[in-house]
Amino acid sequence: MADLYLAIYPAADTPTWSIGAGWSGTPVYTDGPETAPTDTTPHVFTPDASGLTAGTPYKAWVVWWDGVT
């Protein structure tokens, strides 16, 4: 079974994710691991992202990890 990890960063940042260390830098918001869906149903991360500032551009980054690669 695979897991999903979510991070939200300011739009100018380009993060990395690694097994064991997690996300690089300082994300504004993170969530996960959550079990990845087994079909094409959209996945909703809960709780919803919080702590974001209005008018600030952000990028959401998602990692799918199967526990091996």
Side-chain angles (χ1 to χ4, degrees), residues 12-52:
D13 291 359
T14 302
T16 59
W17 184 87
S18 64
I19 299 166
W23 294 102
S24 64
T26 307
V28 176
Y29 175 85
T30 61
D31 194 14
E34 292 193 12
T35 303
T38 57
D39 56 25
T40 59
T41 304
H43 181 78
V44 177
F45 283 91
T46 53
D48 292 333
S50 60
L52 306 180

